[in-house]
Amino acid sequence: MAILLGVDTGGTYTDAVLIRDEAEVIASAKALTTRHDLAIGIGAAVEKVLADSGTKPADIALASLSTTLATNALVEGQGGRVGLIYIGFRAQDLDGHGLRAALGGDPALILEGGHNHAGYEARPLDMTSLEAWLREDRGISAFAVASQFATRNPEHELAAQRMIAEVTGRPVSCSHHLSAKLNGPKRALTALLNARLIGMIARLIEKAEGKLADLGIDAPLMVVRGDGALISANQARERPIETILSGPAASIVGARWLTGVDTALVSDIGGTTTDVAVLRGGKPMIDPAGAQVGPWRTMVEAVGMRTTGLGGDSEVHVQADGLAGGVVLGPRRVLPVSLIAQDAPDVVHRALDAQLRSTVPGEHDAAFVRAVPGVEAGGLAERDDALLDRIARGGVQPVGAVLRTRLEGQALTRLVARGLVQISGVTPSDASHVLGHATAWDSEAAQKALALLARKRTGSGNLIAGDAADMARMIVDQLTTQTVLAILETGFAEEESAFGLAPDQLARHVLMQRGMDQHQGLIRLNAGLNVPVVGLGASAATYYPAVGRRLGCEMILPEHAGVANAIGAVVGRVTIRRSGTVTSPSEGLFRVHLETGPEDHREVSAALDALESALRAAARAGAITAGAEDIQITATRDLRTAQAEARQVFLEGEITVEASGRPRIAG
């Protein structure tokens, strides 16, 4: 009998689940995610699930981790300070695929160098300028390297990687390691985001491994990748970008395991995001364009999923403009007031009471701030550094008491983006506490916070809400509305028949909205979702019945829906994919583009066979390193040819090899 442990570290909760022989859930448990020290939340969840089930730590044969940490970090614009080495490109190329925006003011060096499409060196690599730039201290935690046509010849990326390691000792993310496809700016973006996540994911894995060892669990640790497959902890450290959508991918695997449903939309609500994907034939769809998280379209293979900054801990924004007013949720996650009041009850209640006594609503009512210890703070501007020091020395504080000028408001935004401080504010979780749907945290603090928001006025001069309960219902109704839109957008995006408009426009179209209202006048309209929705997440049972009613579809809320991520983490398989290309730079010459550099052949069949052999070896080695056994390998060839005078001319061939196996179980 094998007992498997699945752990999911989300933005709000850390879940743990025990499964016997991949067939039965023994027990599950939840604990709050502790961002300042992830080991605390991991340890609490694992200790509880072991105690509840009476399982001995020595009986655990495999541990697996899924996480929304990387996804949430990119959605919220967080992560370490990075340096981009951009080889062979022009300064204006930084604007391609949002690369300049992704840098967010972090340093970038544009260097001479790079190769052409055939893999020949276009210009020599300027190593002198690179070394001089690296020796200046910029507070960089990791580097990203992207060279022109590096997938055809990675020589310059590898040379830059060696120099960076020699001069700085910092981690390096090379674009050709993350994708074998062309499109330099998009590869650079992927490498940049990977570098930004390295420190964060390394800390998570280190804490997880350390805590499991402390508890006496001696089993291999796996991590879920964005396509739902498993990889080793070491592989996740090197390529943390591959764990984006890891938690959502695991939840889809878990949804299939829990329900057995073949065709459905799966909607997973967490603290930070709502992730919606399609199950067809019992399998999640892979996004052919690469994973998109927030504004970033990467080159990472991941489940085809739409991620929206909408969750139980989404920030509530009061819309005071206009006559009616209202609220909008997200995309930023904040700590619920009811939760931060658990940690600092005297500070929070004293501030809320003082704000309620004021006759005029304040800009920063019901908002608090605290520093996050243990996060690297290098490269801060003087104003940002001074503000961080003030927040760190003061502990939990009202935002209005911390900010002295408007410029400090901008500094606070930058500190939040770096993950150095946390903001607390009103969230749907607080609304649930006011309405009695949740009781885990400080309901009295939530009541006071929502009463403060209800005092704000619309453009007509009326109060936004009558009292805290009215405010809470407004927030929950808005969560239902935004969730319905997120699900409809996914449905329209995955429809086989095009409707001529973008999915977000179709979801909001008056005909769709009136159709869900079952409009009957001279025109009769009836619209809704034609497949079931599987609702996942700890709060799904609270929020999703109303979503199902609005969509007019079956809403499946399985048992253990709140820990589907952790379940999916331990019922998946190890899968490693490796891709490569053969080109024909001139007639009768066939070039294999390998990690070691281009390799030429005179026969196309020999070139293709050489590439497939190299890819099979690399995929098998990767699967073994990931901890797979009973490995099966498949290969697919995509060949492009052209007709030239009565003969077929080879243009290009791409081979993808997949090695898949079951995770090796201890003992």
Side-chain angles (χ1 to χ4, degrees):
M1 179 184 72
I3 297 180
L4 313 179
L5 168 66
V7 178
D8 174 69
T9 302
T12 304
Y13 284 107
T14 295
D15 303 331
V17 64
L18 293 176
I19 294 180
R20 181 185 291 113
D21 294 330
E22 299 185 22
E24 174 191 4
V25 175
I26 302 173
S28 64
K30 285 182 174 290
L32 283 172
T33 295
T34 46
R35 287 197 174 192
H36 66 284
D37 186 351
L38 295 167
I40 297 174
I42 291 172
V46 174
E47 285 179 314
K48 189 173 189 305
V49 79
L50 291 174
D52 289 351
S53 63
T55 301
K56 297 177 182 178
D59 292 339
I60 303 297
L62 177 72
S64 189
L65 175 71
S66 74
T67 177
T68 59
L69 194 62
T71 308
N72 295 347
L74 297 186
V75 168
E76 297 173 12
Q78 295 183 355
R81 180 175 171 83
V82 300
L84 172 64
I85 313 298
Y86 208 32
I87 303 170
F89 295 95
R90 301 164 299 169
Q92 54 263 43
D93 291 329
L94 286 173
D95 297 317
H97 297 279
L99 193 51
R100 193 183 299 278
L103 276 166
D106 285 356
L109 174 66
I110 298 175
L111 277 181
E112 285 289 314
H115 293 76
N116 62 22
H117 70 281
Y120 294 116
E121 185 178 74
R123 289 167 297 278
L125 178 61
D126 185 356
M127 298 291 282
T128 302
S129 296
L130 174 59
E131 182 175 3
W133 191 82
L134 292 173
R135 293 198 181 280
E136 295 182 24
D137 183 12
R138 292 180 168 83
I140 293 171
S141 64
F143 291 86
V145 180
S147 180
Q148 196 172 36
F149 286 107
T151 54
R152 297 292 169 87
N153 190 335
E155 177 188 10
H156 287 182
E157 284 195 4
L158 295 173
Q161 179 186 36
R162 289 191 294 270
M163 176 165 283
I164 294 168
E166 178 184 329
V167 174
T168 71
R170 295 292 189 179
V172 185
S173 172
C174 290
S175 77
H176 77 278
H177 286 156
L178 300 170
S179 176
K181 296 179 181 178
L182 298 177
N183 194 328
K186 193 173 178 182
R187 270 201 335 276
L189 173 67
T190 304
L192 174 68
L193 298 178
N194 188 67
R196 200 180 293 288
L197 294 170
I198 285 174
M200 185 180 293
I201 296 299
R203 286 192 295 272
L204 170 61
I205 293 172
E206 179 184 352
K207 295 293 186 182
E209 289 178 328
K211 194 59 186 180
L212 293 179
D214 291 344
L215 293 172
I217 296 174
D218 182 20
L221 177 65
M222 310 294 288
V223 178
V224 182
R225 208 168 53 196
D227 60 357
L230 303 181
I231 54 176
S232 72
N234 283 336
Q235 288 171 322
R237 281 190 183 96
E238 294 172 2
R239 301 183 181 186
I241 189 71
E242 293 187 355
T243 70
I244 60 171
L245 302 181
S246 156
S251 74
I252 296 171
V253 175
R256 164 68 175 170
W257 190 86
L258 286 168
T259 66
V261 66
D262 282 328
T263 303
L265 288 175
V266 179
S267 185
D268 183 2
I269 181 169
T272 307
T273 61
T274 291
D275 307 303
V276 187
V278 178
L279 270 176
R280 281 200 178 104
K283 295 181 179 180
M285 307 301 293
I286 301 298
D287 190 340
Q292 177 153 356
V293 181
W296 315 124
R297 171 69 72 177
T298 71
M299 298 187 85
V300 175
E301 284 190 348
V303 168
M305 178 174 294
R306 296 178 85 88
T307 297
T308 305
L310 175 68
D313 298 344
S314 289
E315 185 174 18
V316 175
H317 303 275
V318 173
Q319 303 293 297
D321 297 336
L323 298 179
V327 295
V328 174
L329 310 181
R332 185 171 73 169
R333 173 190 181 268
V334 295
L335 288 171
V337 174
S338 53
L339 176 55
I340 204 168
Q342 299 273 93
D343 297 337
D346 293 342
V347 172
V348 172
H349 280 280
R350 186 165 56 247
L352 292 173
D353 290 340
Q355 291 164 2
L356 284 167
R357 286 194 298 270
S358 174
T359 57
V360 180
E363 180 183 358
H364 301 297
D365 281 354
F368 299 86
V369 63
R370 72 179 180 191
V372 179
V375 180
E376 187 175 342
L380 289 179
E382 183 178 347
R383 178 181 284 111
D384 298 18
D385 194 43
L387 180 60
L388 176 60
D389 181 65
R390 194 189 314 154
I391 294 171
R393 285 188 283 105
V396 175
Q397 303 169 71
V399 169
V402 169
L403 299 182
R404 298 171 181 171
T405 67
R406 288 284 180 184
L407 289 176
E408 287 193 341
Q410 298 170 13
L412 180 61
T413 299
R414 291 190 292 269
L415 293 176
V416 171
R418 287 283 300 275
L420 295 167
V421 301
Q422 287 180 309
I423 297 294
S424 173
V426 174
T427 69
S429 295
D430 294 310
S432 290
H433 278 75
V434 169
L435 296 174
H437 299 155
T439 57
W441 304 332
D442 191 330
S443 296
E444 184 183 358
Q447 184 84 21
K448 293 176 181 179
L450 267 72
L452 284 166
L453 256 63
R455 301 195 312 169
K456 294 182 181 290
R457 294 186 180 274
T458 68
S460 64
N462 296 322
L463 294 173
I464 194 78
D467 55 19
D470 283 346
M471 192 77 226
R473 283 188 284 271
M474 181 184 295
I475 292 169
V476 171
D477 287 347
Q478 183 63 22
L479 187 139
T480 299
T481 297
Q482 289 183 226
T483 301
V484 166
L485 290 175
I487 292 172
L488 286 175
E489 283 183 32
T490 303
F492 279 119
E494 297 298 328
E495 272 284 6
E496 295 180 358
S497 301
F499 285 80
L501 292 174
D504 60 328
Q505 293 177 286
L506 290 166
R508 291 165 174 77
H509 199 285
V510 62
L511 292 177
M512 185 71 214
Q513 295 299 317
R514 292 292 181 88
M516 290 191 295
D517 292 335
Q518 307 293 308
H519 172 81
Q520 292 192 38
L522 295 178
I523 303 296
R524 184 178 68 251
L525 297 174
N526 187 348
L529 210 59
N530 197 39
V531 296
V533 172
V534 180
L536 302 177
S539 59
T542 299
Y543 300 129
Y544 275 19
V547 172
R549 288 193 294 272
R550 178 63 177 160
L551 290 169
C553 69
E554 179 186 6
M555 178 62 68
I556 303 172
L557 299 170
E559 186 182 7
H560 307 298
V563 292
N565 296 29
I567 290 171
V570 291
V571 297
R573 291 174 61 84
V574 174
T575 301
I576 301 294
R577 296 183 191 89
R578 294 289 182 262
S579 297
T581 306
V582 173
T583 61
S584 181
S586 61
E587 188 172 358
L589 180 65
F590 304 99
R591 179 161 293 165
V592 183
H593 299 278
L594 302 171
E595 169 78 9
T596 53
E599 180 181 291
D600 292 340
H601 293 265
R602 288 297 175 185
E603 296 291 335
V604 65
S605 58
L608 291 169
D609 289 345
L611 176 60
E612 182 171 328
S613 177
L615 293 175
R616 282 179 176 270
R620 178 178 290 278
I624 292 171
T625 302
E629 58 184 10
D630 300 329
I631 298 171
Q632 297 178 331
I633 297 180
T634 59
T636 58
R637 296 186 177 189
D638 182 14
L639 306 183
R640 291 177 53 210
T641 60
Q643 191 75 24
E645 295 178 347
R647 65 189 181 94
Q648 288 285 104
V649 177
F650 175 87
L651 299 178
E652 186 174 296
E654 181 177 345
I655 299 178
T656 299
V657 171
E658 182 175 289
S660 181
R662 295 168 54 85
R664 191 179 304 112
I665 294 175

